[in-house]
Amino acid sequence: PNIEEARRVHDAIDTLLRPKRGKKGYKDPQDMDKTTKKRLEAMRACLNLYLERCKLAGVKPGLWTRASEDAALSKGMAKSWGVKLRLWCRGMMEDLENVPMHQFGKSGMRSAVDDEDISAEIKTHLQSQGKYISAETIVKFCATPDMLKKMGRTKTISKWTARRWLMKMGYRWKKHPR
């Protein structure tokens, strides 16, 4: 990238990370999650390195890549994370509103227990088991060929998944029945 684009994005990231508070100081952004903040800080480090190296040696091939890899390493990430840094920086160079936000829980994946039919079948099975049940009860029930086929799985669920499902279905439990 050229120096003007890099400087423009660097200043925009600075404004996002350190918004001005009146005449003095800055205000820490409260509405930004940790992952997005970490990404922006790494992008700022990458742009800092790139701008400083351009100031010393001029724009040369490979300088952008080395700056991004060094920034990734300085933030405790793998050298290959530099590819993402370059991608995010280029995205902001095209549009300053293109901030690399983290998409918590936005993968579109749904749990099998969200399916009403499967949930109802599990609840019916749990009711037939008597007063005391455990996560292992769901694991064994989900291991049956019929349930595996309905859930579209080849292996049964883990004990931790069963616990999450119990919580999601409104069940609570104790360690030992009294």
Side-chain angles (χ1 to χ4, degrees), residues 115-128:
D115 184 343
E116 292 176 14
D117 296 334
I118 292 173
S119 181
E121 205 159 329
I122 291 172
K123 284 180 182 177
T124 304
H125 176 73
L126 292 176
Q127 289 169 356
S128 71

Side-chain angles (χ1 to χ4, degrees), residues 100-169:
M101 303 294 282
H102 187 15
Q103 303 294 317
F104 289 112
K106 305 246 178 14
S107 65
M109 299 289 289
R110 287 180 24 132
S111 175
V113 80
D114 290 336
D115 184 343
E116 292 176 14
D117 296 334
I118 292 173
S119 181
E121 205 159 329
I122 291 172
K123 284 180 182 177
T124 304
H125 176 73
L126 292 176
Q127 289 169 356
S128 71
Q129 294 300 303
K131 191 173 180 180
Y132 301 110
I133 59 160
S134 68
E136 198 62 42
T137 309
I138 294 180
V139 172
K140 287 177 184 171
F141 178 65
C142 290
T144 61
D146 183 43
M147 280 304 291
L148 288 173
K149 186 177 177 186
K150 285 182 182 173
M151 293 189 301
R153 297 176 61 102
T154 54
K155 295 190 316 184
T156 189
I157 61 171
S158 70
K159 194 173 183 179
W160 284 104
T161 299
R163 287 180 181 178
R164 281 192 296 275
W165 285 8
L166 280 167
M167 291 288 286
K168 210 171 201 180
M169 291 187 294

Side-chain angles (χ1 to χ4, degrees), residues 18 20 24 35 54 60 66 69 81 83 87 94 107 125 129 137 148 150 161 164 167 172 177:
R18 296 175 65 119
K20 299 280 183 216
K24 57 184 176 185
T35 305
C54 283
K60 291 185 177 177
R66 280 194 300 276
E69 290 171 348
W81 204 56
V83 175
L87 181 74
E94 291 173 12
S107 65
H125 176 73
Q129 294 300 303
T137 309
L148 288 173
K150 285 182 182 173
T161 299
R164 281 192 296 275
M167 291 288 286
R172 302 291 179 259

